[in-house]
Amino acid sequence: MPTSELNHWIQYAMDLLGIFAFALSGAFLSVRKDFDIFGTITLAEAAGLGGGLFRDLVIGVTPVAFVDLGYYLAPLGAALIIFFGATIHHDSSLFDGFDAAALGLFSVTGTIKALTHGFGLTAATTLGVATAVGGGVLSSLLALEVPPLLRWNRDLYALPALVGAGTVALLHAVEALNVLTAVGAALAAFLLRLLALRRHWRTPRSRMWRDPFTGMRQQPGPAQSEGMAAVHGQYPPMEDTLRIRLPGRHAPARWK
């Protein structure tokens, strides 16, 4: 078998493994949300293929998932394994290693594909990160959840993808990008993600969370001051009472 053809099959197998790993996380999210079998398949397909579909649409090429049946079958297999696995889906940490490997792999392959289609370093890096995290974002949105990518209380996710994609872009800029250096970039992203999971490394959040109204306060007007004083107990609250005088009665009835 020629070397080029061998490399093609290796790349193909790695793509399917990465899609399968991402699809596992989408299927796990589905069973956690108590979706049915079709919902599980949908989220698995979205998690596995979403990032690559976005990248290919931006590049302007036909998404490979539309022309190769294997790209559909890998998420389908992941969905069935999770949905019918009575004990598998109770331990989310089981898939962290596969997900981290897929994150590192796709951040590299997505950047390389963008570079080969003439994109600049910044755009290629962005598409590499989008390839790695896009599927997870899409599956979370379908499940009506805030994507982990946007949450401060989740371990580093976007940063490892940025490390992998940015390293590939820099290697390309200095003409040092080859198979070995690309594998090294993927390993760097993979190891950073694993360390973040083990040590719970997280990105910092703004101090604004302590007081979300900081910087938005205005001096209250007289009417607002009186209303705020009543709320805080400086004035006795007005009793919400309806008084009705019934025929033949001298004292009004009270209705609250």
Side-chain angles (χ1 to χ4, degrees), residues 44-61:
E45 296 284 352
L49 304 176
L53 287 175
F54 176 80
R55 176 204 60 212
D56 291 344
L57 290 175
V58 172
I59 291 175
V61 299

Side-chain angles (χ1 to χ4, degrees), residues 142-164:
L142 289 175
L144 299 180
E145 283 198 352
V146 177
L149 176 70
L150 306 178
R151 299 175 61 178
W152 70 268
N153 58 346
R154 295 300 178 92
D155 301 328
L156 295 180
Y157 196 77
L159 186 59
L162 181 60
V163 168

Side-chain angles (χ1 to χ4, degrees), residues 31-232:
V31 297
R32 184 168 59 82
K33 301 284 287 189
D34 199 22
F35 290 174
D36 64 3
I37 181 63
F38 295 105
T40 303
I41 293 174
T42 299
L43 258 64
E45 296 284 352
L49 304 176
L53 287 175
F54 176 80
R55 176 204 60 212
D56 291 344
L57 290 175
V58 172
I59 291 175
V61 299
T62 302
V64 67
F66 289 163
V67 296
D68 192 313
L69 186 61
Y71 285 80
Y72 284 108
L73 295 180
L76 177 61
L80 296 178
I81 289 174
I82 297 299
F83 189 83
F84 293 107
T87 58
I88 291 178
H89 57 73
H90 289 290
D91 184 11
S92 60
S93 63
L94 181 64
F95 313 113
D96 287 340
F98 295 103
D99 186 82
L103 184 77
L105 173 65
F106 277 21
S107 66
V108 169
T109 58
T111 307
I112 291 175
K113 188 168 185 178
L115 290 171
T116 57
H117 283 81
F119 281 75
L121 298 181
T122 302
T125 301
T126 303
L127 285 178
V129 174
T131 304
V133 305
V137 171
L138 180 57
S139 62
S140 295
L141 292 177
L142 289 175
L144 299 180
E145 283 198 352
V146 177
L149 176 70
L150 306 178
R151 299 175 61 178
W152 70 268
N153 58 346
R154 295 300 178 92
D155 301 328
L156 295 180
Y157 196 77
L159 186 59
L162 181 60
V163 168
T167 302
V168 170
L170 290 176
L171 290 171
H172 176 78
V174 299
E175 298 182 354
L177 182 61
N178 52 49
V179 175
L180 290 179
T181 56
V183 172
L187 285 175
F190 169 66
L191 292 176
L192 178 58
R193 172 61 176 162
L194 285 185
L195 286 173
L197 289 170
R198 178 177 292 273
R199 300 181 179 272
H200 300 294
W201 290 343
R202 295 168 181 175
T203 51
R205 55 176 173 167
S206 172
R207 294 181 179 273
M208 289 284 289
W209 74 271
R210 299 179 183 274
D211 188 353
F213 299 104
T214 299
M216 295 187 292
R217 290 194 178 92
Q218 298 179 355
Q219 292 297 329
Q224 291 177 327
S225 298
E226 184 176 353
M228 293 172 61
V231 170
H232 291 285

Side-chain angles (χ1 to χ4, degrees), residues 239-254:
E239 186 179 31
D240 189 10
T241 302
L242 177 64
R243 297 176 180 268
I244 301 176
R245 184 177 296 275
L246 299 177
R249 302 264 185 180
H250 298 287
R254 292 188 179 184

